[in-house]
Amino acid sequence: MRRTARLAAEDAGLMEAAAILKRGGLVAFPTETVYGLGADATNAEAVAGIYAAKERPSFNPLISHVDSFDAARIQGAFDETARKLAEAFWPGPLTLVVPVASTCTVSDLARAGLDSVGLRVPSHPLAHALLKATGRPVAAPSANRSGRVSPTDADHVLGDLDGRIDAVLDGGATDVGVESTIVACLGGMPRLLRPGGVPSEAIEALLGRRLEIGSEGAKNPVAPGMLASHYAPRAQVRLNATEIRPGEAALLFGAAPLQGSAQAKAQLNLSENGDPKEAAAHLFSYLRRLDASGVETIAVAPVPETGLGEAINDRLRRAAAER
């Protein structure tokens, strides 16, 4: 990739940033917390580009940013508690994890295969203008390589990601400097999943009760900054298959057929060209489709542990784990 463009915080730069996002590119942009690495959340291949640029080792759920509460309600189902929090703290540094709405367009990959979605309406005027110009939810984890310090200005972004993303929209230094607070509203008591820009005391004061803390279990976190939790198929998952056994479904990778694949009850190929980015974009939806065929086992062809292959295999190992 050519060097990353630095776009000025003016109409021309804003329109160019929105155009890049709409065509599936990657743009870092400022929010009131830190700079986010944005991609069209409805486009799984674009979302896969985030993971590739960040060298992220697993497919954790990503926060999807929208420009208004009305836009958020297209993506998520808000109960009374979630609605009260959104009306009090949006726009602002609060992310709400809610069940997906029937009208949700956020991709499986951005949601890590879950039936919930993390949503935020940022208050930074440049972020708001970009989201409005883009006209769709934008997935945006922090704009740094995985495990490194979150960036609070455009120079930080370029120091980590120059040449790996299309552009950074330079809005100067961010105000808050820490990530958003994440609260899950998934039925029952609201739960604080990550402290951040909105103090938990302010949330508790609004609700008139204490927040539950953390995920409901170490194996079931549902938000960024926590251990990965993903869609687990009903069928068993058999990894590194070199042949397809009678009655199995086949999840293939690359052009080479597996022995017995002709007798598979159902089969899909993550990427006939052996492209890890394409494979990542298809991973969750293809697992769901094969699971829906009613097979007892999904046999998965080997995927190389290079680039996004590391994250794909991490997800597949979780899907295959004893449960």
Side-chain angles (χ1 to χ4, degrees):
M1 183 183 288
R2 58 182 174 79
R3 293 200 68 179
T4 297
R6 186 193 291 258
L7 303 176
E10 55 190 25
D11 286 349
L14 188 67
M15 291 302 103
E16 175 62 17
I20 291 169
L21 289 173
K22 286 191 276 191
R23 64 174 179 255
L26 301 180
V27 177
F29 63 96
T31 73
E32 69 276 19
T33 57
V34 298
Y35 272 69
L37 177 54
D40 177 358
T42 71
N43 180 340
E45 280 206 51
V47 173
I50 290 177
Y51 290 103
K54 285 178 66 71
E55 299 178 342
R56 197 159 179 157
S58 62
F59 295 133
N60 295 328
L62 301 178
I63 296 169
S64 290
H65 297 69
V66 292
D67 70 349
S68 66
F69 185 23
D70 285 343
R73 284 187 287 195
I74 294 171
Q75 306 302 329
F78 287 74
D79 61 15
E80 183 179 352
T81 298
R83 178 190 57 76
K84 185 180 291 188
L85 291 172
E87 291 175 346
F89 297 109
W90 280 354
L94 175 68
T95 294
L96 295 173
V97 178
V98 296
V100 296
S102 60
T103 50
C104 182
T105 59
V106 173
S107 67
D108 271 351
L109 186 58
R111 294 186 287 107
L114 296 171
D115 292 324
S116 58
V117 60
L119 298 166
R120 182 160 93 87
V121 180
S123 62
H124 194 291
L126 195 57
H128 183 269
L130 177 62
L131 292 167
K132 196 166 186 64
T134 303
R136 60 197 69 175
V138 173
S142 58
N144 54 279
R145 294 201 200 188
S146 187
R148 298 190 183 177
V149 178
S150 296
T152 56
D153 64 33
D155 287 338
H156 296 162
V157 175
L158 291 170
D160 236 12
L161 297 175
D162 190 15
R164 304 178 69 85
I165 64 176
D166 296 289
V168 55
L169 187 58
D170 189 351
T174 60
D175 294 328
V176 177
V178 295
E179 284 84 355
S180 62
T181 303
I182 303 178
V183 174
C185 297
L186 297 169
M189 296 288 285
R191 190 173 290 271
L192 179 68
L193 301 183
R194 183 179 75 184
V198 174
S200 58
E201 294 85 356
I203 296 171
E204 290 172 342
L206 176 74
L207 298 179
R209 60 176 181 263
R210 298 294 299 271
L211 289 167
E212 299 289 320
I213 305 297
S215 67
E216 295 182 4
K219 295 182 180 178
N220 296 298
V222 293
M226 312 179 75
L227 294 174
S229 172
H230 306 290
Y231 168 76
R234 176 202 54 79
Q236 295 297 310
V237 176
R238 185 167 66 86
L239 301 180
N240 297 314
T242 56
E243 84 290 337
I244 307 302
R245 299 167 187 167
E248 291 184 328
L251 186 61
L252 307 176
F253 178 82
L258 295 186
Q259 181 181 346
S261 59
Q263 65 184 348
K265 185 171 181 181
Q267 64 177 290
L268 292 168
N269 197 318
L270 290 169
S271 173
E272 292 186 5
N273 297 324
D275 179 359
K277 183 177 175 183
E278 182 183 15
H282 290 153
L283 179 61
F284 291 106
S285 62
Y286 281 14
L287 277 173
R288 285 181 184 273
R289 285 168 59 182
L290 292 177
D291 200 28
S293 70
V295 295
E296 292 299 320
T297 303
I298 300 171
V300 183
V303 177
E305 288 270 0
T306 55
L308 280 182
E310 180 184 5
I312 292 168
N313 282 306
D314 171 84
R315 170 59 187 94
L316 289 169
R317 282 189 288 268
R318 293 175 189 275
E322 186 175 348
R323 54 185 187 270

